Amino acid sequence: MQPQPYADGDPFMLGVASGDPRPDGFVLWTRPLGLSGTATVGVEIADDDGFRRIVRSGSVTASPARGHAVHVEPVDLDPARTYFYRFHLDGATSPIGRTATIDPQATRMRLALAACQHWEHGWFSAYRDMVAQEINVLLHVGDYIYEKSFGTGPDVRSFGAPDPFTLDEYRVRHALYRTDPDLQAATAAFPIIATWDDHEVENDYASLQGSVTEDPAAFVARRAAAYQAWFEHMPISPRRLTPHGAADIVRRFEWGALASLSVLDCRQFRTSQPCGRGGQVIADCAEVFDPVATMLGLEQEAWLRDRLANERTRWSLIGQATMVSRLPLPGGGDARWSDIWDGYAASRDRLIAALRQPAVRNAVLLGGDVHSFWANDIPSDPERMEGPVVASEIVTSCLASRSGPEELFTGIQGRNPQVRFHDNDNAGYTLLDIDAERIDGRFRAVRDLTDPNSASFDLRRFAIEDRAPGVRI
């Protein structure tokens, strides 16, 4: 692959980003284009957007082995502070980014929840609304890119390339996403905390098993390429990209005594979907209840259980890719979709048991994947959809894609009384205002995905109150 040329002489055409905030720092990112060899990129961090009070400066190497991606991880910064940053290369200066360290004495915070943004299906105007809402942090729970086209259209733009399989091809797909002006403005305005789902690699894959790429060796190579490209385009420490094509993205964030956020990986360690490869409607499948089957892998399950056993915060937020609630399908019986938590009943039971530990005061599950908005109560026995409510679940719709399968969702509130709200007609994101007494939420819907200037609006408001599990609509 030839080096990509500068756009009007600008190596920073992919913009800047920050992520994984801490009380004393964060990760800064950019990826200069047009380089053929190793380059030195300068970085400045300041108290002000005019860079009159620079608090850190230095340089970092941009290597072709990492696609010239640059990650900077400053430490020993002040907590609860806003900072500005920029990069320099060969006389060019990047856009200015704005970020912030975590407040360890936080009494309130504003978090946005997003997922599922398909380049071809819609414009990313929801990001412009996030910037206007002045959020503290964005939690993105997966499908940040799509590896394939699907659906009957109409599309608003094209990938202009076939599905990616190699590292260079995944780099091009990520770089294309990074040229979107609304996405660029958002990543320059606030920090992001991200995990992945399947489309960052291949639809409905499970661990080392592809659903499209059937040859095991070919899929392992594809996954390794996709993982590296994801790291090269995300503000997350590259140290988390481990040898042999694996990665460690399971991590935890705390805003003092107010809230914790445990970020999970629902793809890399899961066992294969029950009764067949990939996601599908299944019924009367005994493998669903296999106690060895797992969505997270036993090591990650233990990590989450141990963190929650020692919980110190008022709100325990769990960021993960998909829907935890039972989704009984039309037609009755035991019909279910195999690629969500419904396909891993024993693993879900272990998750609920971890959330019921005495140290957990308010458990809130945050997910995406299903291209629709959901507000759900999680009972102690989600399989039978009965028992006391032990947690709340908020599932955000696609930020920009087609709606979920109507034939699976129609009449869901009649089949699962724990579903408090469901909307399958709108794309957008979810806004959460968190304080000591409650979480006030808003499902923010985009009026028209085909209009790049579309506004967003409050589709529905909801609340979760302290020590009162369940969603109030």
Side-chain angles (χ1 to χ4, degrees):
M1 177 182 177
Q2 295 298 314
Q4 299 175 57
Y6 291 175
D8 299 324
D10 179 13
F12 296 111
M13 64 176 294
L14 301 187
V16 300
S18 70
D20 281 13
R22 310 180 310 274
D24 71 337
F26 31 68
V27 179
L28 305 180
W29 171 91
T30 192
R31 184 190 165 211
L33 296 184
L35 302 176
S36 57
T38 300
T40 300
V41 178
V43 60
E44 294 176 313
I45 303 172
D47 277 337
D48 65 301
D49 59 4
F51 287 81
R52 293 177 295 273
R53 298 184 301 276
I54 295 176
V55 299
R56 295 283 194 282
S57 64
S59 62
V60 63
T61 298
S63 167
R66 288 292 174 90
H68 299 105
V70 170
H71 294 84
V72 179
E73 301 178 72
V75 296
D76 298 328
L77 296 174
D78 293 333
R81 290 285 295 274
T82 297
Y83 289 97
F84 300 87
Y85 61 95
R86 62 187 179 187
F87 298 92
H88 303 280
L89 175 63
D90 294 339
T93 299
S94 75
I96 294 172
R98 178 183 182 274
T99 190
T101 50
I102 283 179
D103 182 359
Q105 306 297 323
T107 58
R108 62 181 62 248
M109 63 179 292
R110 173 169 282 187
L111 181 146
L113 172 66
C116 304
Q117 50 200 44
H118 198 294
W119 176 267
E120 296 180 324
H121 291 181
W123 299 103
F124 294 171
S125 55
Y127 277 121
R128 187 170 62 254
D129 189 68
M130 288 185 210
V131 174
Q133 297 291 339
E134 298 184 345
I135 67 173
N136 298 116
V137 67
L138 165 64
L139 171 63
H140 199 290
V141 291
D143 294 344
Y144 196 85
I145 67 163
Y146 277 76
E147 87 293 5
K148 68 172 188 174
S149 303
F150 65 86
T152 58
D155 293 333
V156 301
R157 48 190 173 181
S158 171
F159 286 136
D163 295 357
F165 287 87
T166 68
L167 175 57
D168 282 343
E169 290 167 348
Y170 276 105
R171 282 171 173 166
V172 169
R173 182 60 51 89
H174 275 279
L176 178 66
Y177 269 69
R178 286 285 177 183
T179 63
D180 182 90
D182 289 322
L183 185 152
Q184 276 201 19
T187 62
F190 44 73
I192 180 175
I193 296 171
T195 186
W196 53 38
D197 193 19
D198 52 344
H199 287 287
E200 287 86 353
V201 180
E202 176 179 296
N203 184 44
D204 288 352
Y205 82 92
S207 187
L208 295 174
Q209 181 184 77
S211 64
V212 177
T213 308
E214 295 188 3
D215 177 71
F219 177 73
V220 169
R222 185 181 192 185
R223 195 189 81 161
Y227 281 8
Q228 180 169 335
W230 187 85
F231 273 84
E232 290 175 353
H233 292 83
M234 284 290 176
I236 183 171
S237 173
R239 293 178 285 106
R240 291 187 170 274
L241 184 63
T242 55
H244 311 299
D248 175 16
I249 65 168
V250 179
R251 53 215 198 277
R252 177 181 167 96
F253 303 86
E254 290 185 5
W255 288 263
L258 178 65
S260 69
L261 170 62
S262 298
V263 181
L264 307 182
D265 179 347
C266 292
R267 284 292 166 185
Q268 189 174 188
F269 309 109
R270 70 158 71 184
T271 50
S272 299
Q273 293 93 344
C275 293
R277 182 189 296 261
Q280 58 184 315
V281 176
I282 57 175
D284 301 319
C285 170
E287 293 177 20
V288 165
F289 305 98
D290 182 354
V292 178
T294 174
M295 176 74 85
L296 304 176
L298 297 182
E299 183 176 343
Q300 187 179 181
E301 287 185 10
W303 177 89
L304 179 62
R305 182 177 62 250
D306 292 346
R307 294 302 183 279
L308 294 177
N310 296 287
E311 184 63 276
R312 301 181 300 273
T313 67
R314 185 173 299 253
W315 300 97
S316 299
L317 311 178
I318 312 296
Q320 51 83 50
T322 189
M323 178 181 288
V324 175
S325 292
R326 180 76 174 91
L327 180 62
L329 301 184
D334 188 45
R336 63 185 67 214
W337 185 253
S338 66
D339 192 54
I340 62 176
W341 285 88
D342 268 355
Y344 300 82
S347 188
R348 177 168 56 193
D349 287 344
R350 294 191 293 271
L351 172 66
I352 301 304
L355 299 178
R356 297 184 70 187
Q357 294 180 104
V360 180
R361 178 164 171 158
N362 299 292
V364 182
L365 295 156
L366 303 175
D369 179 41
V370 291
H371 293 209
S372 45
F373 290 109
W374 301 74
N376 304 321
D377 296 348
I378 302 291
S380 58
D381 187 348
E383 184 61 36
R384 296 180 177 83
M385 298 175 289
E386 61 186 27
V389 177
V390 299
S392 310
E393 180 178 40
I394 302 301
V395 179
T396 196
S397 188
C398 47
L399 183 135
S401 189
R402 311 199 202 288
S403 297
E406 188 66 34
E407 65 275 14
L408 300 186
F409 297 160
T410 298
I412 181 61
Q413 287 175 282
R415 299 191 300 275
N416 184 348
Q418 281 80 35
V419 175
R420 299 306 183 194
F421 176 79
H422 168 239
D423 174 84
N424 195 45
D425 296 325
N426 292 277
Y429 74 100
T430 301
L431 195 63
L432 301 174
D433 284 304
I434 304 169
D435 65 27
E437 300 303 320
R438 58 194 281 140
I439 295 177
D440 285 306
R442 290 184 277 162
F443 291 132
R444 297 284 292 169
V446 177
R447 290 197 181 279
D448 184 358
L449 281 178
T450 67
D451 178 4
N453 299 310
S454 180
S456 297
F457 65 98
D458 281 348
L459 175 69
R460 192 64 178 259
R461 291 176 176 261
F462 58 88
I464 305 169
E465 297 176 356
D466 180 35
R467 293 191 184 279
V471 186
R472 308 293 185 261
I473 296 295

